[in-house]
Amino acid sequence: MTGAGVVEAKKALEKAGGDLNKAQEVLKQRGQILAKKKLDRQTTEGYVGIYQHHNGKVAGVVVLLSETDFVARSQAFRQIAHDLAMQVASLKPKDVDELMVSDFIKQPGTKVKDLITQAIATLGENIKIKEIKVFDISQ
């Protein structure tokens, strides 16, 4: 659920006195701290996530950057890129800033910026959305 390792989850649960909700909040705060430390790192590798709607008339593209090719080739990173491309195709944001503040369609109540922060903490590298594009033949 949080992407934290077993040891990290156990420490958070102990710190929260056994309360699962508080433990999740502890892990979220820890992830934000880790992500903040990585924000200045260069992102020179990445993956282009593409989603095409089943009707073939709308597609979303996301250029998602990471620090290393190792992370960019991982299934977790590619899934995030695909999910974000789906988000772009669905909501058609005008730019990356608008995308970042939108609710993530696969996790209502979670902003895209929080998804990126969680991915940074889980994958251990800085991650940035460089560019988005919507293709819609009806427009």
Side-chain angles (χ1 to χ4, degrees), residues 3-52:
V6 175
V7 174
E8 185 86 21
K10 183 179 177 188
K11 287 179 183 177
L13 196 55
E14 288 171 355
K15 186 173 182 177
D19 185 315
L20 287 175
N21 291 330
K22 287 181 183 176
Q24 283 182 323
E25 190 58 37
V26 167
L27 289 170
K28 183 178 178 182
Q29 289 171 354
R30 173 90 172 119
Q32 290 171 346
I33 292 168
L34 290 172
K36 203 175 236 185
K37 290 179 181 178
K38 296 175 191 311
L39 288 178
D40 292 334
R41 295 183 182 180
Q42 284 191 330
T43 52
T44 57
E45 296 294 332
Y47 183 76
V48 177
I50 302 168
Y51 171 81
Q52 181 179 6

Side-chain angles (χ1 to χ4, degrees), residues 5-138:
V6 175
V7 174
E8 185 86 21
K10 183 179 177 188
K11 287 179 183 177
L13 196 55
E14 288 171 355
K15 186 173 182 177
D19 185 315
L20 287 175
N21 291 330
K22 287 181 183 176
Q24 283 182 323
E25 190 58 37
V26 167
L27 289 170
K28 183 178 178 182
Q29 289 171 354
R30 173 90 172 119
Q32 290 171 346
I33 292 168
L34 290 172
K36 203 175 236 185
K37 290 179 181 178
K38 296 175 191 311
L39 288 178
D40 292 334
R41 295 183 182 180
Q42 284 191 330
T43 52
T44 57
E45 296 294 332
Y47 183 76
V48 177
I50 302 168
Y51 171 81
Q52 181 179 6
H53 194 271
H54 67 84
N55 67 8
K57 296 182 180 192
V58 178
V61 178
V62 172
V63 178
L64 191 64
L65 300 178
S66 64
E67 295 174 41
T68 66
D69 188 42
F70 177 77
V71 166
R73 288 183 286 122
S74 73
Q75 183 58 38
F77 188 83
R78 289 177 178 211
Q79 185 64 52
I80 293 166
H82 179 265
D83 291 346
L84 290 172
M86 183 188 310
Q87 176 100 3
V88 167
S90 295
L91 299 181
K92 300 178 178 96
K94 68 180 188 303
D95 57 28
V96 173
D97 291 335
E98 185 178 325
L99 174 66
M100 292 295 276
V101 297
S102 65
D103 279 339
F104 183 47
I105 57 176
K106 286 186 138 186
Q107 293 175 11
T110 299
K111 301 285 184 200
V112 169
K113 65 180 179 177
D114 296 330
L115 174 76
I116 297 296
T117 299
Q118 183 180 7
I120 292 169
T122 302
L123 297 173
E125 287 191 7
N126 191 13
I127 296 171
K128 293 180 182 175
I129 300 172
K130 179 181 180 183
E131 188 175 355
I132 62 171
K133 180 75 175 161
V134 177
F135 295 93
D136 187 342
I137 63 170
S138 68

